[in-house]
Amino acid sequence: MAPRIDAHTHLFPPAQAARREALADADPTFAEMYRDPRAKLADAPALRRAMARAGIERAVAAGFAFRDARCLAEQADYLLAAAAEAPGVLAPLPCLNLALPGWEAAAARWLEAGARGFGELRPHNQGWDPLGPDAVRLAHLAAETGAVLLWHVSEPVGHAYPGKRGGISPAELCELAARVPGARMVAAHLGGGLPFYLQMPEVRQAIGNIYFDTAAASLLYDEGTVARVVALAGPGRVLFGSDFPLLAPRRQLERIIAELPPDAVAGVCGGNAASLFFGLPQP
């Protein structure tokens, strides 16, 4: 049986959670999403408890797109340390800010320390071009090292919510994927509608390196949407992700298993992520 894996969670070191107000004063994106004390900030023990309740064996722990290099490094160190405490359980994805000098050195250092990729990337929030030279270099780095790039991709229509804007657009991601076909990338939140365009032959050919995760899908789309994306993209390119701590992994996993065709459950709910992030063979 394939392991159950949550491919989209977020962790903050306790020291950052304790500085919530100061971080919000310094970073507009953090303020939009987390200034409200009701917005959840979780640490590694909280994630492990949620995984145990859901019967989830492994998880991908992504960073937050801070603008400040010190905040990025502090969170990266925490993610890497949490993964090292339980080898093979957490796949750490520190975040990068390509607008800062030295991002390439930081990326190399974190890959050497065990990072499985980088995310959740929000280029427009941080002030860098997702199609610029630095972004192309990052994609080539991913292709060369096997790192995975997790992008925040939000739907360009529909209701507003904290953190919706500032990632990469579906069109931008499609173009970047076509430029660097060897880079493996995950389009969060069902790719902001990008799977629909897989019905176009040229798009299907261009984005064969893109996976789609289900993070926060229940807040955005109606019942049956994940199954429709699986039908469009194929069961090998969709990853269960809860967006913990925004949503509880157990409930999200139950919802997705209930709507998927039985033959898609193993891959979507763990097998695909096992191969992509943990280097394990598909069951």
Side-chain angles (χ1 to χ4, degrees):
M1 179 178 175
R4 295 288 188 250
I5 298 177
D6 190 334
H8 190 130
T9 73
H10 292 281
L11 301 180
F12 287 87
Q16 287 186 335
R19 305 198 312 272
R20 183 195 293 258
E21 276 297 319
L23 291 174
D25 289 341
D27 190 302
T29 305
F30 186 90
E32 178 185 354
M33 297 176 66
Y34 295 114
R35 184 186 292 277
D36 188 335
R38 293 172 296 180
K40 298 175 183 176
L41 297 173
D43 58 13
L47 173 58
R48 288 193 293 269
R49 291 192 296 271
M51 291 168 61
R53 287 192 294 269
I56 290 172
E57 300 169 39
R58 304 169 188 258
V60 177
F64 179 78
F66 288 108
R67 292 188 177 185
D68 179 71
R70 289 173 296 181
C71 290
L72 290 169
E74 182 182 18
Q75 191 178 49
D77 289 344
Y78 182 74
L79 294 175
L80 293 165
E85 288 178 3
V89 175
L90 294 182
L93 268 63
C95 200
L96 294 167
N97 182 356
L98 275 58
L100 296 173
W103 72 263
E104 288 175 284
R109 183 169 65 253
W110 295 338
L111 288 173
E112 179 67 23
R116 302 297 179 89
F118 303 103
E120 185 177 357
L121 300 167
R122 289 175 163 268
H124 292 294
N125 284 133
Q126 293 173 319
W128 52 276
D129 182 357
L131 295 176
D134 285 298
V136 173
R137 281 200 294 275
L138 175 61
H140 280 295
L141 175 67
E144 293 161 6
T145 62
V148 181
L149 304 180
L150 170 62
W151 298 88
H152 176 76
V153 192
S154 57
E155 62 291 348
V157 297
H159 66 281
Y161 51 84
K164 177 172 181 171
R165 307 297 180 189
I168 190 171
S169 74
E172 289 168 333
L173 183 57
C174 185
E175 184 173 342
L176 183 62
R179 289 190 195 181
V180 191
R184 299 180 301 170
M185 300 189 271
V186 177
H189 316 299
L190 296 179
L194 182 56
F196 174 83
Y197 296 101
L198 287 166
Q199 297 173 103
M200 302 172 69
E202 66 273 25
V203 174
R204 191 161 60 244
Q205 181 177 358
I207 64 171
N209 54 338
I210 294 180
Y211 297 75
F212 305 94
D213 80 28
T214 70
S218 65
L219 300 180
L220 303 170
Y221 299 105
D222 61 16
E223 293 292 333
T225 297
V226 172
R228 289 190 286 271
V229 171
V230 168
L232 288 168
R237 291 174 60 188
V238 180
L239 312 169
F240 162 69
S242 67
D243 218 352
F244 172 87
L246 177 64
L247 295 172
R250 179 177 178 178
R251 176 62 180 137
Q252 297 309 303
L253 184 61
E254 290 172 347
R255 291 171 64 102
I256 285 173
I257 290 174
E259 75 171 75
L260 285 178
D263 60 354
V265 170
V268 172
C269 296
N272 300 333
S275 174
L276 185 63
F277 291 104
F278 294 93
L280 301 176
Q282 283 274 21

